[in-house]
Amino acid sequence: MKNKLEIFKNAQDLLEEPEVQALLEYCEHLEDELVDLKFEKDKNKELILLDMIKEVLKGCNELEKQQKEHERFGYEAPYYKETISNLKSYIHEICRINKIWL
């Protein structure tokens, strides 16, 4: 894609036309909006991922707490295979919903 000023390199005199100047200003405005939109999109995904990581850590902390209680009272250990499977399903579902590709 060409730089907007490269388009006029063989017709520099057109750059002084009010309509061309207005068009160039409009292009700059659209470029700024595009940058802002990309930033918002990336920022939102970042927040989603941070929230997901916090939830995963919260679940891990809860599991560790259960493990300590089981050891303390001599109960059978939790079934980790199901927990891990649920954790993976949660991560994949959040990513699918928010179009985050790992």
Side-chain angles (χ1 to χ4, degrees), residues 44-94:
N44 287 339
K45 285 190 177 186
E46 180 180 317
L47 292 175
I48 291 165
L49 289 172
L50 284 174
D51 187 52
M52 183 172 59
I53 290 169
K54 287 177 186 177
E55 288 297 315
V56 168
L57 287 174
K58 190 166 82 174
C60 290
N61 290 337
E62 184 62 33
L63 194 59
E64 286 176 339
K65 181 180 169 185
Q66 286 179 8
Q67 178 66 36
K68 287 178 184 176
E69 288 179 4
H70 282 81
E71 289 172 1
R72 180 176 172 205
F73 297 109
Y75 298 133
E76 190 175 318
Y79 189 57
Y80 294 109
K81 187 175 182 178
E82 183 179 347
T83 302
I84 291 169
S85 177
N86 289 340
L87 180 59
K88 286 172 64 177
S89 295
Y90 167 74
I91 291 170
H92 288 300
E93 182 65 11
I94 294 297

Side-chain angles (χ1 to χ4, degrees), residues 2-16:
K2 288 185 176 183
N3 177 315
K4 58 187 173 279
L5 294 178
E6 287 178 8
I7 295 171
F8 296 99
K9 71 179 178 182
N10 294 330
Q12 291 287 321
D13 56 313
L14 291 177
L15 288 172
E16 295 176 22

Side-chain angles (χ1 to χ4, degrees), residues 21-55:
Q21 289 178 358
L23 180 61
L24 291 174
E25 286 176 20
Y26 181 67
C27 287
E28 286 179 23
H29 175 73
L30 289 178
E31 288 171 351
D32 290 343
E33 283 186 7
L34 182 59
V35 168
D36 290 344
L37 180 63
K38 284 182 180 179
F39 176 75
E40 282 182 31
K41 184 178 177 183
D42 292 341
K43 186 177 177 186
N44 287 339
K45 285 190 177 186
E46 180 180 317
L47 292 175
I48 291 165
L49 289 172
L50 284 174
D51 187 52
M52 183 172 59
I53 290 169
K54 287 177 186 177
E55 288 297 315

